[in-house]
Amino acid sequence: MPNPRSTTRAKRSTGAVTLQRVAEHAGVSIATASRVLHGGPRTVGEELRRKVEGAARDLGYVSNAPAQALARSSTSVVGLLVHDIADPYFGAIAAGAMRGAKRHRLMVMIAATFGDPELEIEYVRNLRAQRARALLIAGSGVVDPGLTERFAAELDAFRADGGRVACIGERGIEPFVPLDHGGGAERAATELWRLGHRRIGVVAGPANLVTVHRRLAGIRAAWSRLGGELPDTRVVFTDFTRSGGRDATLGLFAAEPDVTAVLALNDVMAAGVLTALQDDLGRAVPSEVSVIGFDDVPFAVDLRPSLTTVRLPLEQAGERAVQLIAAGASPARQAPLGVALVARDSTGPAGDAAPE
């Protein structure tokens, strides 16, 4: 009697395994096998699903994605556009998107644009050519009407071919998962005022990003409401990197040495702010200078001192964005995801000032 395992190996060595062979091995119709392995409008019972998936494993079946794409006019691929996958902000969004995609039997393909709007446009064009089912946009838009219009035209072409689009954060793309950048920044600025700080500096990130402008607008709104002043000399634009935060802080204190608190518009830059203050300038944090970050990425709690920051629900945003593109009908306008100020050890009263 032949060894079943050797038989399986022999079957795998005879060439590509077809869907028909999987169906025969499982004792089901080709239509049922296809619904299990490729998805479809009808559900399949758990027992039949186990049989088909077991047969596919035994035979070493690999789905012919291009053929399925032609049959369905799309693949199971969801393109996720981010600025930099090494940035924990985008890593958190990607983790949430992948968790949501798993539930819908979708595969996330991440494309890093490195903040280049021309590359972002090219990626949309390429994903359209690859018949991607949907597109998630996580990177901030730029303050450039011409580039914005060209990007919108590519998205329209993607939708015209049957693709779905969703955006994480508002940049004029529907549907989108709202992130309250301005509200979070207002909370951070209000907390510094409560602690007695009146001379704050802002390490603001790249000047051409919409997200930076929204966060900066939130700080200015709070400061104006509270009666404070934020002159342009106390706002430094830089890269969204640790070294960018460090260099910006050195420049800020060279121009404005009496600053008592620094608000960095992301946590990666805030790590550089702490380095510049403590190692380069010899300033104690928070007794001499307080520091607040933004995003609450995982390493924020491990900085020394641990970083007070604004928490954005980034994983939840990625997961919700997948739900939007998986929905059959156009979804209603989404409610904003909540933000929270997470108080840790990098903030304290300004000098001897007591909190108001």
Side-chain angles (χ1 to χ4, degrees), residues 26 44 49 64 76 87-88 144 169 183 197-198 237 270 299 304 333:
V44 176
R49 180 176 297 280
N64 185 337
S76 60
D87 187 328
D144 185 319
H197 296 279
R198 300 297 181 265
F237 295 98
F299 68 72
R304 290 295 175 264
R333 179 66 62 92

Side-chain angles (χ1 to χ4, degrees), residues 274 278 285 300-307 345:
L274 290 173
Q278 297 176 119
V285 178
V301 71
D302 297 318
L303 295 172
R304 290 295 175 264
S306 58
L307 184 65
D345 297 333

Side-chain angles (χ1 to χ4, degrees), residues 97-168:
M98 288 178 176
R99 185 163 51 244
K102 181 181 177 183
R103 284 199 297 273
H104 294 282
R105 293 179 169 266
L106 299 171
M107 181 179 71
V108 176
M109 177 185 294
I110 301 174
T113 68
F114 306 104
D116 182 350
E118 294 286 355
L119 187 56
E120 186 176 51
I121 291 170
E122 182 180 337
Y123 278 143
V124 175
R125 191 178 299 124
N126 290 341
L127 286 165
R128 176 187 168 206
Q130 295 293 324
R131 297 178 180 269
R133 180 175 300 187
L135 183 61
L136 302 180
I137 302 156
S140 172
V142 295
V143 186
D144 185 319
L147 286 168
T148 300
E149 288 177 9
R150 288 174 53 208
F151 185 61
E154 287 296 335
L155 293 182
D156 288 342
F158 185 87
R159 294 188 188 97
D161 282 352
R164 295 177 183 169
V165 176
C167 188
I168 298 163

Side-chain angles (χ1 to χ4, degrees), residues 202-208 212-213 216 235-239 248:
V202 180
V203 173
N208 68 329
V212 169
H213 284 259
L216 187 55
V235 179
V236 184
F237 295 98
T238 186
D239 296 332

Side-chain angles (χ1 to χ4, degrees), residues 267 291-294 306-310 341-347:
D267 290 343
V291 178
I292 293 185
F294 209 110
S306 58
L307 184 65
T308 296
T309 186
V310 175
L341 182 71
V342 182
R344 297 194 180 104
D345 297 333
S346 66
T347 48

Side-chain angles (χ1 to χ4, degrees), residues 205-277:
N208 68 329
L209 295 185
V210 172
T211 296
V212 169
H213 284 259
R214 290 206 171 112
R215 293 182 181 185
L216 187 55
I219 297 170
R220 291 191 183 280
W223 226 238
S224 176
R225 170 174 51 82
L226 294 166
E229 293 183 4
L230 183 60
D232 291 342
T233 52
R234 293 186 191 159
V235 179
V236 184
F237 295 98
T238 186
D239 296 332
F240 265 151
T241 62
R242 183 179 180 277
S243 60
R246 179 174 178 263
D247 293 344
T249 303
L250 296 177
L252 171 65
F253 277 81
E256 300 280 348
D258 61 346
V259 163
T260 65
V262 178
L263 207 166
L265 297 193
N266 84 349
D267 290 343
V268 176
M269 292 190 303
V273 172
L274 290 173
T275 297
L277 288 172

